[in-house]
Amino acid sequence: MKSMYRRQFALMAGMILISFLLLGTAFITLSYQYTIRDKRGGMERNAANIASYTATMLLSGRNVDDTLYQGYVNSVAEIAEAYIIVTTPEGVIAYSIDGTTTTTEFSSSILGKQLPNSVVSQLVSSGKYEGMTSLGGIFPERRYVAGVTVTIQTLSSDGTISQQIPGLVLVAAETGNITELWRAFITIFFFTAVVVMCLAFIATSVTSLSQTKPLKDMAEAARKFGLGEFDTRVEVGNRKDEVGELAEAFNNMADALAKSEARRSEFVANVSHELKTPMTTIAGFADGILDGTIPPEREEEALRTISSETRRLSRLVRRMLDLSRLQSAENVTAQEQFDVSEVLVRVLLSLETKINSRHLDVDTQLPDDPVKVWGDPDAITQVCYNLLDNAIKFAREGSTITLTITEKGGKAHVSVRNEGDTIPAEELPMLFDRFHKSDKSRSADREGVGLGLYIVKTILNNHKENIAVTSENGVTEFTFTLMLA
């Protein structure tokens, strides 16, 4: 398979070559026709001028042997670099001059020769002649010939005008003279075309290489990503074109992959830690009972610890399965209308026992009318449960939990507020990370596994909704949004 560089270079070079061929063909054709027309026009004008001068000369009583006449004709022949022939009305050559040379051999050799009858008859009948001919062998090769008749008009005694043809004038030129200028045009054109095409090929090559190099770098970087080298980046320099944008987007993707890999490594480490702690506890107490290290009177306490850690381990596995389901590509959030106030109250009632055990008060600031929203009611129920359970767990004993629902900008804003320890500002963005615990101790909260808020964030992301948290002066508030129905 040809490389992209070769294909692009071949395409550009082919287009340039075809363009020059078409342009050259058109230019050469037009220039040739223009050159021929210009040369023919000049020859016809010279023939007409000489015929007019000849008529004037004959009217004055002189003939073709007159020195002044021959000097004029010779001057025209030299300037035009052409052959001039003057004949009788019957086509017999009376005078000739070769303007391309200073010798008179050819001019003398054709005196008295007869022009072809076809040329003479056309001149007499139409008054002019033009074409490629050797004049019946007078010239050694075919030449372009333009001819006119010498016409004299006389006025008779009865007032009528009569017209006489006392002679013929022909001007002939070699084809080499006619095409000389055209050939010069061709030479200049081809030289210019070769130079321009070389420059175009060089520019095309440089441009193609500059476009394909970042693509090759990206391909190489992708191969390195496959080998786990996530620090590889593509150098874009100061490019602001589409290739530069592509390279910049590729580097952004590489940054996202590197962060994702870092989070994955952290996730594996966190999972390992969370699984290791209860399993170590379970194994330690079980071994202690089996080998007699734990006395019989403490076996019941050890078994309770084993049971608690087993349930904690079960909760961790269940939460991880829930998280895997939420993040699955097959997970599609169901969209239906429901009353978010009803969901919040139902979750609140399910947590009544926990609320009473910590002697908490609940302040509900909910609208009197139902607040209809779009979403998955089961998923939003889990969001409310996790937020309320979290608020109860970290609320100061005997304090108040406040639940608020407001409508603003086509959204329902659901807030859960508790009173307790202030969360440091630098820690707020990390609350929704997996296995993050705000007390910095993974063993202090025996009930939690550090996935509750992360699951909340994932569910709301699936709904394309947002959640925010603030914590000031011991008051922490979580607020999430839902689209009003």
Side-chain angles (χ1 to χ4, degrees):
M1 179 183 293
K2 294 183 178 180
S3 66
M4 181 178 177
Y5 162 71
R6 290 182 179 178
R7 290 198 303 270
Q8 186 174 9
F9 180 81
L11 177 63
M12 294 295 294
M15 291 179 62
I16 293 173
L17 184 60
I18 292 174
S19 299
F20 266 103
L21 287 176
L22 293 176
L23 179 62
T25 302
F27 175 78
I28 290 172
T29 302
L30 291 175
S31 63
Y32 176 75
Q33 292 179 353
Y34 175 79
T35 303
I36 294 297
R37 283 199 303 268
D38 184 65
K39 191 69 174 179
R40 288 176 179 176
M43 293 175 63
E44 291 172 356
R45 287 191 299 272
N46 289 332
N49 290 334
I50 293 174
S52 176
Y53 186 78
T54 303
T56 303
M57 182 268 302
L58 292 175
L59 287 174
S60 64
R62 291 175 292 176
N63 56 33
V64 295
D65 295 326
D66 185 82
T67 305
L68 183 62
Y69 173 77
Q70 293 183 357
Y72 172 78
V73 174
N74 293 350
S75 298
V76 174
E78 291 176 1
I79 294 173
E81 294 184 350
Y83 300 88
I84 297 178
I85 298 175
V86 181
T87 72
T88 64
E90 295 77 19
V92 178
I93 298 176
Y95 180 76
S96 68
I97 182 64
D98 183 358
T100 62
T101 180
T102 58
T103 62
T104 60
E105 295 179 3
F106 178 79
S107 301
S108 301
S109 64
I110 64 174
L111 290 177
K113 288 188 176 182
Q114 175 69 45
L115 296 182
N117 292 330
S118 59
V119 175
V120 175
S121 60
Q122 182 175 344
L123 276 168
V124 173
S125 61
S126 64
K128 62 172 56 179
Y129 173 86
E130 60 176 318
M132 297 291 295
T133 178
S134 64
L135 293 179
I138 294 176
F139 296 119
E141 74 280 337
R142 288 166 57 85
R143 300 178 183 182
Y144 180 76
V145 178
V148 295
T149 58
V150 178
T151 303
I152 298 177
Q153 294 180 346
T154 59
L155 182 62
S156 62
S157 58
D158 58 358
T160 59
I161 298 176
S162 61
Q163 184 171 292
Q164 298 178 358
I165 301 177
L168 309 175
V169 176
L170 294 92
V171 178
E174 294 181 355
T175 55
N177 292 335
I178 298 177
T179 59
E180 184 177 353
L181 182 59
W182 173 68
R183 290 174 180 174
F185 284 162
I186 292 179
T187 302
I188 295 173
F189 174 81
F190 275 109
F191 176 78
T192 306
V194 169
V195 173
V196 173
M197 289 181 67
C198 289
L199 294 176
F201 288 157
I202 294 174
T204 302
S205 178
V206 173
T207 303
S208 300
L209 286 175
S210 66
Q211 290 179 349
T212 56
K213 185 179 182 301
L215 300 180
K216 291 181 179 180
D217 293 342
M218 281 184 266
E220 181 63 24
R223 284 190 286 268
K224 290 183 179 180
F225 289 160
L227 298 176
E229 300 179 24
F230 295 101
D231 57 342
T232 304
R233 297 294 181 271
V234 178
E235 295 294 334
V236 296
N238 295 324
R239 295 190 66 154
K240 301 297 182 181
D241 56 4
E242 290 80 359
V243 176
E245 291 180 3
L246 177 61
E248 185 177 356
F250 188 89
N251 287 339
N252 292 337
M253 180 194 69
D255 293 336
L257 287 175
K259 292 178 181 178
S260 177
E261 177 63 17
R263 287 195 296 267
R264 186 191 67 80
S265 300
E266 181 184 1
F267 176 74
V268 172
N270 292 336
V271 169
S272 301
H273 178 85
E274 294 293 336
L275 293 175
K276 179 180 178 182
T277 301
M279 287 192 296
T280 301
T281 302
I282 293 171
F285 280 99
D287 291 342
I289 294 174
L290 291 174
D291 60 18
T293 303
I294 298 176
E297 63 272 13
R298 294 187 57 192
E299 287 184 359
E300 183 177 353
E301 181 183 351
L303 290 173
R304 288 196 186 95
T305 302
I306 291 175
S307 177
S308 175
E309 291 298 315
T310 302
R311 286 194 296 272
R312 181 177 175 227
L313 189 60
S314 176
R315 287 194 301 273
L316 174 62
V317 173
R318 187 171 60 253
R319 285 295 182 91
M320 291 179 63
L321 289 175
D322 291 341
L323 183 60
S324 177
R325 177 181 59 82
L326 289 171
Q327 293 179 329
S328 171
E330 298 177 356
N331 177 62
V332 179
T333 302
Q335 292 288 324
E336 59 181 87
Q337 295 185 28
F338 64 95
D339 184 2
V340 68
S341 299
E342 181 184 348
V343 170
L344 193 59
V345 171
R346 189 167 60 247
V347 172
L348 181 63
L349 293 176
S350 69
L351 294 170
E352 184 177 2
T353 302
K354 288 187 176 183
I355 293 173
N356 293 334
S357 66
R358 294 184 57 80
H359 311 289
L360 300 173
D361 293 329
V362 178
D363 179 15
T364 57
Q365 300 176 9
L366 308 179
D368 295 333
D369 297 328
V371 181
K372 294 290 186 178
V373 296
W374 283 103
D376 182 353
D378 293 335
I380 299 303
T381 298
Q382 186 173 2
V383 169
C384 294
Y385 184 91
N386 287 0
L387 290 177
L388 275 170
D389 184 61
N390 210 52
I392 294 168
K393 188 186 307 180
F394 294 102
R396 186 174 61 252
E397 189 168 352
S399 62
T400 301
I401 292 178
T402 304
L403 307 179
T404 305
I405 297 179
T406 58
E407 299 179 17
K408 182 172 60 177
K411 299 273 189 178
H413 296 256
V414 183
S415 300
V416 178
R417 183 190 311 131
N418 72 334
E419 300 173 5
D421 295 334
T422 301
I423 303 174
E426 65 274 8
E427 194 175 337
L428 290 177
M430 299 183 292
L431 289 179
F432 300 101
D433 291 347
R434 291 171 291 192
F435 296 107
H436 179 79
K437 294 184 178 180
S438 60
D439 59 4
K440 298 298 183 182
S441 173
R442 296 191 177 275
S443 57
D445 178 15
R446 307 301 297 178
E447 296 295 325
V449 295
L451 288 175
L453 292 179
Y454 183 75
I455 290 176
V456 167
K457 181 71 172 177
T458 303
I459 291 174
L460 291 174
N461 283 344
N462 290 341
H463 281 73
K464 294 181 174 54
E465 298 292 347
N466 298 317
I467 184 169
V469 57
T470 60
S471 185
E472 295 179 355
N473 302 322
V475 178
T476 301
E477 183 176 14
F478 288 84
T479 303
F480 67 90
T481 61
L482 290 171
M483 180 67 68
L484 288 171

